[in-house]
Amino acid sequence: MIQEISTRLLKQLEEDLEHTCFQIKDPFQRWTTALKLIREALKRLRTHFSDLKFKDKEEEIPIFKVIKPSFYQWQIYYTELYNIETNLPYGDAEKQTAFLEQELFYIERFFRQYAFLYQYYKLNATELDNLYFVRGAEMQSILLPEVPDLDPEFSTSCDYLFSKFKAFEVLKDWVLERLLHLKKKNIDPQALSGNLQVREMNWTGDTIDLAEVGLGLYHTGKLNNGTAGLGEIFRWLEEKFNVNIGIPAKRFAELRKRKRLSRTRYLNEMRDSLNLKMENEDEYVPTGKKKPNSALNDDD
């Protein structure tokens, strides 16, 4: 029950956060709006959690190892992102690069500082779950960081740390993409040829389909000689097609959850449609007759 409820709440929260990021450009307003959404979602999760009666520790562990960190990570992420955006030097690419490299060093240092627990998190280990993710478990260790005042009824020794691991991984991607953008040089502006007026194009399909396209472009390295970042590609597609695709890591996770044979459903559909068109064009046509609706004619 809690898994279904939390999945629904998290999906709604992340959709609301994506909409907020797309609509609000002012860092402070975006941060405060995001925090309001996150805290409300955590409050609702906390309410549902209070109604549960656990049979054993095995039912309690996933709440604090996976579910709560999936929500709380966004509070940490948006707070850290706000601090970076508001302290980023303006107008000087070299100073911005130096600043972001320092932020990247801070993130990597955090992972090294808690290397044992970070590896435990990355490997999805389970041996110490009874200590890390059960309320009231005695856990005194120099390996654990100082954490904010926690609600003992809705917190364990390591749920905050796992939330921070998740948040910092997303933040690291943001910093790397921004650094890549700053370090690009000699980018020629696009030149328009001819006087053809192209009307505005809007994406009218599911956004997950466009996410497939963006991921495909990124992993095949066909944009800017492979230097275009994934987040940069997503923002470019959003701008060109007037749509909000969302956070790259989350859309990739959605694709991974699909059945193995249909993970790239839209790309497969594109391939099949194009192949079908070419096969139809290759069909035998009696002499002297033209195939109707041909995509290419000899006169083209």
Side-chain angles (χ1 to χ4, degrees):
M1 178 64 72
I2 189 64
Q3 181 65 51
E4 295 177 2
I5 293 172
S6 63
T7 299
R8 186 169 61 251
L9 282 175
L10 183 60
K11 181 180 179 181
Q12 184 62 56
L13 171 62
E14 291 178 344
E15 288 176 355
D16 291 342
L17 290 173
E18 289 170 6
H19 179 75
T20 296
C21 288
F22 185 71
Q23 295 292 332
I24 303 176
K25 302 305 179 185
D26 177 71
F28 180 76
Q29 186 180 357
R30 185 171 63 241
W31 174 52
T32 54
T33 303
L35 288 186
K36 183 178 179 180
L37 292 169
I38 296 161
R39 288 167 179 168
E40 179 60 30
L42 280 167
K43 181 179 178 181
R44 294 175 64 186
L45 180 67
R46 173 74 164 79
T47 299
H48 289 296
F49 172 83
S50 299
D51 296 333
L52 294 177
K53 301 297 182 183
F54 298 111
K55 292 185 298 184
D56 51 39
K57 294 178 181 179
E58 297 304 316
E59 289 188 351
E60 183 176 354
I61 288 170
I63 306 292
F64 298 105
K65 186 175 184 180
V66 179
I67 294 176
K68 185 185 174 186
S70 296
F71 285 80
Y72 201 79
Q73 65 167 320
W74 296 118
Q75 180 165 320
I76 299 171
Y77 170 75
Y78 280 100
T79 298
E80 294 289 340
L81 183 61
Y82 169 73
N83 288 330
I84 290 176
E85 289 183 315
T86 53
N87 288 287
L88 190 67
Y90 286 100
D92 190 317
E94 290 186 4
K95 289 182 178 180
Q96 288 187 355
T97 298
F99 177 84
L100 291 172
E101 286 177 342
Q102 185 63 34
E103 290 297 319
L104 188 61
F105 173 79
Y106 168 72
I107 293 170
E108 294 289 0
R109 185 180 66 181
F110 178 79
F111 290 147
R112 291 194 301 271
Q113 183 178 0
Y114 301 104
F116 174 78
L117 290 165
Y118 186 55
Q119 286 302 309
Y120 190 90
Y121 158 80
K122 294 293 288 183
L123 295 172
N124 195 27
T126 60
E127 292 84 353
L128 300 175
D129 283 0
N130 286 337
L131 287 176
Y132 293 160
F133 304 108
V134 174
R135 291 167 297 166
E138 292 295 331
M139 183 64 187
Q140 300 295 329
S141 174
I142 59 173
L143 295 175
L144 297 178
E146 293 185 7
V147 298
D149 291 334
L150 301 176
D151 176 359
E153 294 299 319
F154 195 49
S155 299
T156 63
S157 298
C158 282
D159 67 78
Y160 175 80
L161 189 60
F162 269 43
S163 300
K164 199 161 185 176
F165 287 153
K166 287 176 174 289
F168 273 29
E169 285 182 339
V170 180
L171 190 68
K172 179 181 176 180
D173 288 341
W174 185 93
V175 172
L176 287 171
E177 288 167 7
R178 187 65 180 265
L179 279 170
L180 185 60
H181 176 74
L182 287 170
K183 290 180 178 180
K184 286 180 183 177
K185 296 180 180 179
N186 301 320
I187 303 297
D188 295 328
Q190 291 183 338
L192 294 176
S193 59
N195 296 318
L196 180 63
Q197 295 295 318
V198 180
R199 65 174 178 168
E200 184 179 76
M201 297 292 179
N202 295 310
W203 184 263
T204 55
D206 293 335
T207 56
I208 190 64
D209 294 340
L210 191 57
E212 277 189 49
V213 174
L215 286 159
L217 290 170
Y218 172 70
H219 287 288
T220 54
K222 300 302 182 183
L223 294 179
N224 294 344
N225 295 316
T227 63
L230 181 55
E232 186 180 6
I233 293 172
F234 268 46
R235 302 294 86 78
W236 176 70
L237 290 171
E238 288 179 336
E239 180 180 348
K240 294 300 180 183
F241 293 112
N242 296 305
V243 67
N244 180 23
I245 305 175
I247 300 172
K250 291 301 173 184
R251 301 324 300 258
F252 181 68
E254 289 179 45
L255 295 178
R256 288 188 62 197
K257 290 178 182 177
R258 290 176 171 177
K259 293 181 179 179
R260 183 171 297 276
L261 294 179
S262 61
R263 283 177 167 176
T264 55
R265 193 158 49 217
Y266 180 63
L267 294 178
N268 293 344
E269 181 183 339
M270 290 178 65
R271 179 200 62 201
D272 293 343
S273 296
L274 183 57
N275 280 331
L276 179 60
K277 178 63 178 176
M278 290 188 287
E279 288 170 4
N280 288 338
E281 292 294 326
D282 290 339
E283 289 179 0
Y284 171 76
V285 180
T287 304
K289 293 185 180 181
K290 291 184 177 181
K291 179 178 279 295
N293 300 323
S294 178
L296 297 173
N297 295 317
D298 293 336
D299 296 316
D300 289 346

